[in-house]
Amino acid sequence: KKLEEGKICVTPATGRLKCKEVFHVVAPNKKNTDSINQAVTTCLYEAESNKMKSIAIPAIGTEGLSHMPEVAAQRVCEAVINFGQTNPSVLKQIRIAVCQEDMHQVFISRFTKALSTESNRLCGKTMHSARSKEDNAKLKSDVPSEHKVSAVLIKVYAKDPEAVQKTEDNLSQYINKKFESFALDNPGISQLRPDQILKLKQAADGLNLMVDVDTKLSQIQIKGRKDNVGDMKAVIMEMLSEIDREAMIIKDREYEMRLEEASKRHEQLKVQLRKEKFEKEAQRKKAIESEVRLKKESEEKQAQLVKEASEKEARLKREVDEKEARLKEETR
């Protein structure tokens, strides 16, 4: 049966091939280069459907059909990137097998350029060249658990170690140029609430960044593209400014409360002073009234004594006069 363009035929691997199955496709002709994208996409989804963890894709159409390497690289790259955006759950390793030395750099350049495009969402994913198993395992361990599920593993094969090393150097230069690891220390970080930390992580996810918030150390670590790291810094600084504003509002409220409390205490003190003044004035008036009353009583008593003394003196005088009168009467 003839295999139609865009369809695939799956057969068990035989001979020295170190794989379980082989996907056979009809290489597209020069007039329909989009079919390269379709063929690669079909293979990728078939591998995902068959629960395969890895797949190796050659430079389709560059041999017998003599497709331009640049065109083939672009179509293969588009298919891989579009597939990666669907977050496959099983297929995690996509190897691009380019054995021709003159095409090697073409594919590397195409994938490197694709990484610089914001819409491809490969930022934060893992890229591997043909390294040792130990190196690959170390790189995988550096990827946070929340990103491991959607990581895309790309391995590049070449004829000699020099080409592999050159690829590694190119990728390292690109990563060092485009990516950044940044640590921000600020006392305000310790004041971040759980909802604010969640908001920061959501913003980081939107920018394809890795963010670690340590409130105990008052530190935030950011890893990802430099442009996105700059945007994330702005988000963090705005949130820290918001915390400062909230702290200032709280301080102002506390100051107002203390001022209000002081004002209340002042009013209470004024009332207490007025009360004490009134009581002292009342005591003073009472003392004056008591003094006046005592003076009046003393004067009345003294007047009474004078009156009694006068009456007594008058009575004695009358008695003396009467006695003298009787004596005169008797002497007659």
Side-chain angles (χ1 to χ4, degrees):
K1 186 178 178 180
K2 184 178 180 181
L3 186 62
E4 299 177 2
E5 188 173 317
K7 302 293 184 179
I8 66 172
C9 177
V10 183
T11 63
T14 59
R16 299 174 61 184
L17 292 175
K18 295 182 180 180
C19 60
K20 293 181 179 180
E21 294 179 337
V22 177
F23 291 177
H24 302 272
V25 300
V26 176
N29 57 51
K30 285 187 177 182
K31 294 182 180 180
N32 188 14
T33 57
D34 289 339
S35 295
I36 298 177
N37 188 312
Q38 183 180 355
V40 174
T41 300
T42 303
C43 290
L44 293 174
Y45 278 99
E46 184 68 17
E48 174 74 12
S49 178
N50 292 345
K51 308 298 182 182
M52 295 180 178
K53 295 182 179 180
S54 64
I55 187 173
I57 301 173
I60 298 176
T62 57
E63 284 290 336
L65 296 178
S66 301
H67 280 291
M68 293 292 292
E70 291 80 2
V71 176
Q74 180 177 351
R75 295 293 181 259
V76 172
C77 182
E78 290 173 352
V80 171
I81 289 174
N82 291 335
F83 177 75
Q85 289 178 342
T86 65
N87 291 326
S89 60
V90 180
L91 183 58
K92 297 302 178 184
Q93 296 183 5
I94 302 174
R95 300 181 176 91
I96 310 300
V98 182
C99 297
Q100 298 87 340
E101 186 174 358
D102 57 339
M103 293 186 196
H104 181 258
Q105 190 59 42
V106 173
F107 274 78
I108 289 296
S109 299
R110 172 51 58 184
F111 274 90
T112 301
K113 183 177 180 181
L115 281 172
S116 65
T117 306
E118 294 293 339
S119 61
N120 59 33
R121 296 183 62 82
L122 283 178
C123 174
K125 316 267 185 189
T126 309
M127 281 196 66
H128 293 254
S129 60
R131 303 176 184 230
S132 66
K133 292 182 179 179
E134 293 78 7
D135 290 337
N136 286 334
K138 183 179 183 301
L139 285 173
K140 281 187 178 181
S141 66
D142 291 338
V143 182
S145 58
E146 62 266 28
H147 290 280
K148 286 181 180 177
V149 176
S150 58
V152 174
L153 177 64
I154 300 176
K155 289 189 176 183
V156 180
Y157 293 87
K159 282 184 176 181
D160 51 63
E162 289 75 13
V164 172
Q165 186 60 49
K166 184 177 180 180
T167 302
E168 291 187 17
D169 293 342
N170 289 338
L171 290 174
S172 296
Q173 289 176 7
Y174 174 80
I175 291 173
N176 292 333
K177 180 179 179 182
K178 294 294 184 179
F179 292 79
E180 178 182 2
S181 179
F182 175 78
L184 175 65
D185 296 290
N186 190 297
I189 296 174
S190 62
Q191 305 300 320
L192 287 172
R193 303 188 303 270
D195 61 304
Q196 292 174 319
I197 294 175
L198 177 61
K199 186 177 178 181
L200 283 179
K201 290 186 176 181
Q202 289 174 343
D205 289 340
L207 294 171
N208 292 316
L209 296 172
M210 292 180 288
V211 171
D212 179 44
V213 181
D214 193 330
T215 53
K216 292 183 179 180
L217 297 178
S218 297
Q219 185 181 81
I220 296 178
Q221 292 187 343
I222 314 168
K223 294 181 181 179
R225 287 182 61 90
K226 288 185 177 180
D227 294 343
N228 293 346
V229 169
D231 293 338
M232 193 64 200
K233 288 180 185 177
V235 173
I236 294 173
M237 295 310 297
E238 175 60 29
M239 186 166 291
L240 293 177
S241 297
E242 181 181 346
I243 291 176
D244 290 339
R245 288 194 294 271
E246 291 177 355
M248 288 298 297
I249 291 174
I250 293 174
K251 287 183 178 180
D252 289 344
R253 288 176 180 173
E254 291 177 350
Y255 176 76
E256 289 176 358
M257 290 176 63
R258 289 197 299 269
L259 190 63
E260 184 177 354
E261 186 67 23
S263 179
K264 287 182 179 179
R265 289 198 302 269
H266 181 67
E267 287 297 325
Q268 291 173 353
L269 182 60
K270 286 175 65 177
V271 171
Q272 182 66 24
L273 289 174
R274 284 197 296 268
K275 182 179 179 181
E276 291 178 358
K277 183 178 179 181
F278 175 78
E279 289 176 351
K280 287 181 179 180
E281 186 66 23
Q283 289 176 356
R284 190 180 69 81
K285 287 182 179 180
K286 188 175 181 181
I288 292 173
E289 290 175 355
S290 178
E291 184 180 354
V292 170
R293 186 176 65 255
L294 291 174
K295 184 177 180 180
K296 183 178 180 182
E297 289 177 353
S298 177
E299 290 176 349
E300 289 177 351
K301 190 173 183 179
Q302 186 175 3
Q304 182 67 25
L305 291 174
V306 171
K307 182 179 178 182
E308 289 178 356
S310 298
E311 290 177 351
K312 186 176 181 179
E313 184 179 356
R315 188 172 62 252
L316 290 173
K317 186 177 179 180
R318 285 197 304 272
E319 289 177 356
V320 170
D321 291 340
E322 288 176 356
K323 188 180 277 190
E324 288 179 353
R326 280 198 303 273
L327 289 174
K328 285 180 179 183
E329 189 67 34
E330 289 176 358
T331 56
R332 287 180 185 175

